[in-house]
Amino acid sequence: ALERPEKMALYINAYNAFTLRLITQYYPEIESIKDIPDGLFRAKRWKHKRWNIGGTKCSLSEIEHDVLRDEFGDARIHFALNCASIGCPELRGEPYVGEHLDEQLDEAARAFNHSARGMRLDRKKRIIHLSRIYDWYEEDFLRHADSIPQYVARFVPDDDARFIRRHEDDLRVEWIEYDWALNDAKKHDDE
């Protein structure tokens, strides 16, 4: 019964909260969400239908793909979802709310693309280094732009956006290796 922005915010918050809950069930024995089994008979990670939203049991995969990607079709969700990995976009310090969802998603997109794990630009070599998120979900981003660099240009500093747009035809895309290690306090304390 929720309006589109409220429902979308609910599912983004649910995905992030359920992911954190899942990690706490296995922590500190794991170093990555990928250490949690996700097999056909032992589905515990993304495919296990154990999370309750409005009385319906669903999996993290269903929340991300069937609801957020398919139903809402807003590629910015990829900057809002967090799988507790270093390569992920930052987890917000506050929940997403329908009333401010558009601004919050734009903020999340800018924050990720302003970070070294989201986008790096080598002007001399004309290389744009992008998160694997752009590779994995290319079709989502191409619904909103003619190319991945065009999409990225919406969420980077103005001077980078101008460079990307001016040199798009001779920019080479290279993928940043995705870091699946847990983004946890212990990891940061060791550095």
Side-chain angles (χ1 to χ4, degrees):
L2 295 174
E3 295 293 322
R4 176 185 166 90
E6 287 80 15
K7 186 176 179 184
M8 193 170 168
L10 170 72
Y11 277 93
I12 291 169
N13 294 329
Y15 181 95
N16 290 335
F18 295 154
T19 299
L20 291 176
R21 177 70 179 123
L22 177 65
I23 295 298
T24 62
Q25 292 172 345
Y26 291 88
Y27 190 80
E29 285 76 30
I30 59 169
E31 294 186 16
S32 166
I33 191 170
K34 293 180 92 177
D35 292 340
I36 300 169
D38 204 23
L40 182 59
F41 300 106
R42 301 178 315 160
K44 294 183 180 178
R45 188 184 341 143
W46 286 299
K47 296 176 185 172
H48 187 206
K49 290 186 178 198
R50 70 159 122 198
W51 310 110
N52 186 335
I53 299 179
T56 301
K57 292 272 189 177
C58 54
S59 69
L60 291 172
S61 182
E62 289 170 326
I63 294 169
E64 179 180 7
H65 301 292
D66 300 345
V67 177
L68 290 169
R69 290 182 66 215
D70 291 348
E71 185 176 331
F72 294 108
D74 189 329
R76 295 176 300 170
I77 61 114
H78 297 295
F79 311 119
L81 300 179
N82 184 289
C83 65
S85 300
I86 291 172
C88 288
E90 291 287 325
L91 188 61
R92 288 182 67 84
E94 63 187 25
Y96 288 90
V97 293
E99 183 180 357
H100 302 291
L101 185 63
D102 232 19
E103 302 97 69
Q104 289 177 315
L105 289 174
D106 279 348
E107 287 171 13
R110 280 192 299 276
F112 186 68
N113 286 290
H114 287 216
S115 74
R117 72 185 170 285
M119 192 281 296
R120 295 189 305 264
L121 191 58
D122 185 332
R123 293 170 189 257
K124 285 184 181 179
K125 294 181 181 177
R126 300 236 169 111
I127 299 172
I128 185 169
H129 301 270
L130 296 173
S131 168
R132 282 270 179 203
I133 290 172
Y134 284 110
D135 182 29
W136 297 330
Y137 302 107
E138 179 181 33
E139 66 194 53
D140 295 359
F141 298 108
L142 293 180
R143 285 188 203 127
H144 305 282
D146 290 333
S147 70
I148 297 297
Q150 278 183 23
Y151 188 91
V152 172
R154 297 176 182 180
F155 300 106
V156 297
D158 290 341
D159 58 330
D160 288 343
R162 281 190 295 275
F163 184 87
I164 291 167
R165 288 181 182 118
R166 190 174 327 123
H167 299 286
E168 180 183 357
D169 292 337
D170 60 340
L171 264 182
R172 188 171 81 239
V173 173
E174 289 190 5
W175 304 116
I176 298 168
E177 197 58 41
Y178 201 81
D179 189 344
W180 285 100
L182 285 181
N183 185 8
D184 65 349
K186 184 179 85 173
K187 174 79 71 189
H188 294 292
D189 289 344
D190 294 343
E191 294 176 352

